Amino acid sequence: MTSPAAPLVRFKNVEKNFGALQVLKGITLDVAPGQVVALIGRSGSGKSTALRCVNGLEMINGGELEVCGRKLHAGKVDLLELRKDVGIVFQSYNLFPHLTVEENITLAPRKVRRIGKAEARDIAAEVLEEVGLSEKAQAYPEQLSGGQQQRVAIARSLAMRPKLILFDEVTSALDPELTGEVLKVIERLAREGMTMMLVTHEMAFARSVANTVVFMHQGRVWETGPGAMLANPVTDELRQFVGSGL
Amino acid sequence: MLGLTIEQIAYLFRGAGWTIVLSLLGFVGGTLLGLPVALGRASKSRLLRFASGVLVQLVQGIPLPVIMFVVYFGISIAGFDVPALVAAGVAMTLYSGAYLGEIWKGCILAVPRTQWEAGECLALTKTQRFIFVILPQALRIAVPPTVGFLVQIVKNTSYSVVINFFDLTYSAKVINNATYKPFTVFTIAALIYFAICFPMSLLASRFDRRLHRS
Amino acid sequence: MGYAFDFSFLDEYWPDLLNGVWLTLGMTVASVLPGFVLGTLCAVGRLYGPPYVQRAVTFYVEAIRNTPLIIQVFWLFFGLAVLGAKIGPFPAAVIALVVNVGAYTAEIMRAGFRSIPKGQIEAAHCLALTPTQALWSVQLPQAVERVYPALVSQFVLMMLATAIMSQISAEELTGVAYMIQSFTFRGFEVYLVIAVIYLAMASLLRLTLMGVAHVSFPRLRRLGTPL
Ligand SMILES: Nc1ncnc2c1ncn2[C@@H]1O[C@H](COP(=O)(O)OP(=O)(O)OP(=O)(O)O)[C@@H](O)[C@H]1O
Ligand SMILES: [Mg+2]
C-alpha cells in the first residue's frame, strides 16, 4: 500500500551521540499519515532515543529529520510549534499530581491554544470518552489505577489535537490485566486513523496493530516490514529477538 | 581607618569576643539540656514526651528576646544580682536546648527500627542497645544539622542586646551612636558575624552532602 | 521566696498591649506575601537564571543567612537615616523582614523546585507549554505544596523575630512591654504576659497559614492528605 501524502516523519541517515557514545547510527525511516509504526528491539538499541528525537526532546547530530513539515536538522526549530503537532506518552504517565484529570487535560489547550474554559472542558469530555474514563474527570491522578492514569495521559495528548502521537513503552509499568485496557485505546486510535509511532515489547500487539514494524539493533534499523515479518524473520538477530520474547 | 579609631574597632572586636563566649555557653548549655529533651521526645513514655514537648513548644512559640527578658527579670526577682551574661546564657541554653532537642529527636528516630531489633538479637540490654547501636548512627546523622544550628546560635546571641549584654551587636550600637557612621559600623559588624557563621554554614552543607552520598 | 506576683498593670495598660499586638500582626501580615514572592523569584533565579543572576542571588542569600536580623535592621534603618531618607520604623521593619525572610524562603523554595521529578517538567514541555508556563502551572504549585510546612515554620519564626523591632522604636508588642515595665517595675510579669500572647499569636498564624493551604491545595482537601 503506497501513501500518496507526504510522510509526517522522515528520518534520513539520522545520527545521535551522547558524548562519545553513538546511539543512532544512521536511521532511515518514513511514517506516512495514518500509519502506525512499531519500534521493537533490545534494551539499549536506541528506540526511545529515536522517538525522543521526533518531538525535539533530543537533538540529532547528523542526517536529516523532518517532522510535520519542519526540518529538525536545519538550525533553530520552534519546539513549541512542533510539540503542538506531536504528542508523546511516557512509560511513567507523568500526570500532574496537583491537578484533576480534567485540569490535566485542559491545561495545555487553554495555555497553549488559548481555548476558552467551556470549550476546553468539552474537549476534555470528548477525549475522556475516547479513552473510556468519562466518569473520572474530577478525580486526581493518585485516585486512579496505573492503567487509568495511562489512559488519562493519552487523553491529555489527544486534547492538543496532535497530527502524530509517540508512545514509549506505555504499558511496561502496568500489570497484564491493566495493559489490555491501554492497548485497546491505542487500537481504537489506530482504527480512527491517528498517526502513531510506538515503542513496545508487546509483540502480538505490534503485529496486529502496526502497519510497519521496525526492528532496531545497535542503533540501526535492522529489519523493517509489515507485522507479518515477525513470523518470518530474515535476520538472525530478529529471529533471536522474537524467539526470546515470545 | 574607615573613619573609625583603632580603639573603636578594638571595641567592636571585644564585643565579638563576648558574642563567641555567649555562643559557646549557649551551645554547651543547649547540649546539656538538648540531650535529655531529645531522649524525652523520642521516648516511649507518654509523660516524658509530653513534658519535653511542652518545653519545645514554649521556646519555639516565644521570641528569644522575650525569653531573655523573662530570664533576666526572673533571676532578679529571685533575689540574685547577676551579670547580663548569666541571664543571656540561661536564655540561650533554653533556646538551644529546645531546638537541638528537636533536631536530635529527629536523628534518633531516623535510625531504622530494624536496628533496634538487630540489637535485640544480640541480647543487649535496652541501654546498651541505645548506646552501642542507635547512638553512633544517630550521631552521624546529627552532625550536619547541629553544625548548621551553631550558625543560628551565633546569630541569635545578637538578641541579648535587649538586656544590654555587651556583645558584638551591642558594641556596634554604641560605636554607631558615638560616630554616626551606620554603614561603616554595621557593615564591619556584619562582616565579623559573617566571618564566624559562613565557614560553619559551608561545613554544614559539606557534611550534609557527604552524609547523603553515603 | 516571698515574691508577690502582681498583674494589676493589665487593668491600665491592656489597650497598649492590644496596640502592640496589632502592630506585630501588621508587620507580619505585611511581610509574608512580599517575602514569599521575593524568595520564590530568587529561587527561580538561582535555579534557572543566567550565571550572573545565580551569583547575585547566592550572594544575597548567604549574606542574609549568615548575619543577624538585628544588624540588618540597624544597617537599613540608621543607614537610611544618614542618607537623609526619612523612613518610619514600621516601613523600615517591614522592608528588613521581607529582605530577611526572602533569603530563607529562597532556600526553602529552591529545595521544593529541586524535589520535583524531571518527568513532570518534561511532560509540561512536551505539551508545548513554554518554560514560564510550565514553571507557573506545573512546578510552582508542586514546589509550594512540598515545602509548605517549612514555609509555615519560617513565617512563624519571622513573626517572633518582629520582637526585635522595638530596637528601632517600632512600638510592637515587645516595645510596649518594655514601656509598661519601665512604668510599673513589674518586668517579670509583663514579659510573662506577652510571652503568652506571642504563643497565642504563633498558634494563630500557624492555623491561619494552614487555612490558606486548605484553600490553596484543593487536592489535599479533597483527599484529606495532611500537609
Ligand atoms: N541522556 C542520555 N545520556 C547518555 N546516554 C544515554 C542517554 N539516553 C540514552 N542513553 C544511552 O543510549 C542508549 C540507547 O538508549 P535508549 O533509551 O534509546 O534505548 P531503548 O532502546 O529505548 O532501550 P530500553 O528498551 O531499555 O528503553 C543506551 O545505551 C543508553 O544508555
Ligand atoms: Mg526506552
Side-chain angles (χ1 to χ4, degrees):
Chain A
M1 192 177 86
T2 53
S3 174
L8 270 184
V9 182
R10 169 167 263 167
F11 281 84
K12 210 162 148 192
N13 283 319
V14 167
E15 295 175 11
K16 169 72 190 171
N17 315 318
F18 289 113
L21 178 72
Q22 187 166 41
V23 176
L24 300 183
K25 299 170 184 162
I27 300 272
T28 300
L29 175 70
D30 283 359
V31 181
Q35 258 206 328
V36 178
V37 172
L39 300 179
I40 60 170
R42 289 189 197 290
S43 180
S45 54
K47 309 178 297 287
S48 295
T49 305
L51 210 62
R52 289 165 65 87
C53 288
V54 174
N55 79 337
L57 276 175
E58 306 289 355
M59 285 300 158
I60 66 173
N61 304 112
E64 295 176 6
L65 176 57
E66 201 177 315
V67 179
C68 299
R70 294 185 184 80
K71 294 179 167 50
L72 301 198
H73 49 277
K76 274 187 91 67
V77 260
D78 187 342
L79 287 180
L80 292 179
E81 286 304 315
L82 174 70
R83 287 169 186 169
K84 286 185 193 173
D85 289 340
V86 183
I88 185 165
V89 182
F90 299 97
Q91 175 178 343
S92 51
Y93 335 133
N94 293 344
L95 294 180
F96 304 131
H98 62 296
L99 300 178
T100 63
V101 164
E102 184 179 82
E103 289 163 344
N104 261 281
I105 295 172
T106 56
L107 179 68
R110 293 197 58 199
K111 298 265 171 193
V112 178
R113 296 214 184 273
R114 307 252 163 235
I115 286 171
K117 199 171 185 167
E119 195 186 338
R121 293 182 69 160
D122 290 345
I123 294 176
E126 208 174 297
V127 292
L128 278 176
E129 164 97 65
E130 185 102 353
V131 300
L133 284 174
S134 299
E135 76 286 0
K136 296 292 187 190
Q138 298 312 318
Y140 282 95
E142 66 193 271
Q143 294 173 298
L144 304 179
S145 73
Q148 290 171 330
Q149 291 193 47
Q150 195 56 293
R151 281 145 70 197
V152 172
I154 295 173
R156 184 171 72 174
S157 267
L158 286 175
M160 287 292 281
R161 304 284 183 235
K163 299 191 175 120
L164 164 73
I165 305 187
L166 314 171
F167 296 84
D168 192 355
E169 297 191 27
V170 293
T171 58
S172 296
L174 300 176
D175 298 338
E177 60 274 29
L178 298 179
T179 299
E181 66 185 52
V182 174
L183 294 184
K184 248 188 228 130
V185 168
I186 300 176
E187 244 181 287
R188 176 169 171 184
L189 291 176
R191 275 201 308 277
E192 289 167 359
M194 174 59 80
T195 314
M196 297 185 277
M197 287 180 76
L198 37 101
V199 173
T200 183
H201 288 309
E202 306 285 336
M203 289 306 134
F205 177 74
R207 210 177 141 169
S208 65
V209 174
N211 308 92
T212 308
V213 175
V214 176
F215 172 59
M216 288 187 61
H217 188 65
Q218 295 177 346
R220 296 199 164 81
V221 174
W222 207 258
E223 199 174 328
T224 177
M229 136 186 137
L230 292 173
N232 308 299
V234 176
T235 60
D236 288 344
E237 286 78 7
L238 179 57
R239 188 171 310 120
Q240 274 170 20
F241 177 73
V242 172
S244 65
L246 294 177
Chain B
M1 189 165 89
L2 301 165
L4 300 184
T5 66
I6 297 291
E7 286 76 26
Q8 286 167 334
I9 291 183
Y11 190 77
L12 287 178
F13 275 96
R14 267 206 351 255
W18 286 106
T19 288
I20 293 175
V21 169
L22 181 55
S23 303
L24 288 176
L25 269 183
F27 181 60
V28 172
T31 304
L32 294 179
L33 177 62
L35 280 175
V37 168
L39 294 178
R41 294 284 286 147
S43 93
K44 285 208 180 68
S45 147
R46 196 181 261 209
L47 183 71
L48 285 179
R49 271 211 314 273
F50 178 77
S52 49
V54 167
L55 177 77
V56 171
Q57 290 299 315
L58 283 180
V59 171
Q60 295 192 340
I62 302 173
L64 184 51
V66 174
I67 298 178
M68 298 251 177
F69 275 124
V70 170
V71 172
Y72 180 77
F73 286 109
I75 292 178
S76 76
I77 64 170
F80 300 104
D81 187 16
V82 294
L85 174 64
V86 175
V90 172
M92 288 306 297
T93 295
L94 285 172
Y95 166 80
S96 315
Y99 276 91
L100 285 173
E102 198 62 8
I103 292 171
W104 292 339
K105 172 200 86 171
C107 299
I108 294 174
L109 295 182
V111 177
R113 281 231 71 81
T114 47
Q115 294 291 322
W116 279 100
E117 288 146 18
E120 221 159 328
C121 300
L122 295 170
L124 298 173
T125 69
K126 246 178 111 170
T127 324
Q128 284 173 326
R129 255 185 285 160
F130 184 76
I131 292 178
F132 296 113
V133 181
I134 304 303
L135 205 57
Q137 300 187 50
L139 277 178
R140 238 170 50 87
I141 312 174
V143 170
T146 305
V147 175
F149 188 72
L150 280 174
V151 177
Q152 301 298 321
I153 293 182
V154 174
K155 280 188 301 179
N156 284 336
T157 55
S158 64
Y159 288 140
S160 62
V161 72
V162 299
I163 55 171
N164 291 332
F165 172 66
F166 174 73
D167 73 340
L168 176 53
T169 301
Y170 183 87
S171 61
K173 205 170 125 178
V174 169
I175 299 291
N176 177 54
N177 287 342
T179 61
Y180 213 54
K181 291 197 170 67
F183 284 124
T184 313
V185 174
F186 293 119
T187 301
I188 294 176
L191 285 174
I192 299 176
Y193 275 113
F194 189 85
I196 303 172
C197 294
F198 187 60
M200 292 196 289
S201 297
L202 280 184
L203 208 59
S205 55
R206 185 160 312 162
F207 283 147
D208 196 46
R209 273 199 303 273
R210 187 176 305 169
L211 186 71
H212 280 285
R213 237 182 294 129
S214 62
Chain C
M1 194 170 78
Y3 186 80
F5 283 93
D6 177 3
F7 288 97
S8 59
F9 64 87
L10 283 173
D11 298 337
E12 191 179 340
Y13 290 103
W14 67 265
D16 298 284
L17 286 173
L18 199 61
N19 282 336
V21 166
W22 283 127
L23 203 64
T24 294
L25 289 178
M27 274 179 199
T28 307
V29 170
S31 309
V32 168
L33 197 59
F36 173 72
V37 173
L38 174 65
T40 304
L41 287 175
C42 286
V44 171
R46 190 162 173 187
L47 283 172
Y48 308 112
Y52 67 92
V53 170
Q54 292 181 16
R55 273 198 298 275
V57 172
T58 306
F59 175 80
Y60 156 63
V61 167
E62 295 303 337
I64 294 295
R65 293 192 339 137
N66 289 288
T67 53
L69 169 65
I70 186 160
I71 293 289
Q72 296 157 16
V73 173
F74 284 161
W75 196 90
L76 183 84
F77 185 71
F78 295 120
L80 285 179
V82 287
L83 287 185
K86 281 230 180 317
I87 180 167
F90 183 84
V94 170
I95 293 173
L97 286 172
V98 168
V99 169
N100 183 268
V101 86
Y104 291 92
T105 305
E107 281 304 272
I108 297 174
M109 286 302 292
R110 191 162 72 104
F113 280 118
R114 287 176 52 162
S115 70
I116 299 172
K118 252 185 61 201
Q120 287 288 312
I121 300 161
E122 201 170 88
H125 291 163
C126 287
L127 286 166
L129 296 178
T130 64
T132 316
Q133 288 170 334
L135 195 64
W136 180 255
S137 305
V138 175
Q139 292 165 263
L140 182 63
Q142 293 189 50
V144 175
E145 197 182 288
R146 280 155 185 264
V147 297
Y148 199 78
L151 288 175
V152 170
S153 298
Q154 195 57 55
F155 286 115
V156 170
L157 282 179
M158 186 198 75
M159 189 274 283
L160 297 178
T162 61
I164 207 66
M165 294 306 176
S166 51
Q167 289 287 318
I168 55 167
S169 58
E171 285 307 299
E172 40 72 36
L173 188 53
T174 308
V176 171
Y178 194 79
M179 183 270 291
I180 298 175
Q181 72 84 22
S182 69
F183 288 138
T184 62
F185 300 103
R186 287 287 163 186
F188 190 60
E189 289 92 327
V190 172
Y191 285 104
L192 277 186
V193 168
I194 67 159
V196 172
I197 300 178
Y198 273 111
L199 278 169
M201 289 197 296
S203 307
L204 180 73
L205 183 59
R206 221 167 248 290
L207 279 177
T208 309
L209 291 175
M210 286 305 170
V212 170
H214 200 72
V215 177
S216 321
F217 305 135
R219 155 159 151 269
L220 301 189
R221 184 171 68 230
R222 274 259 306 281
L223 303 184
T225 318
L227 271 171

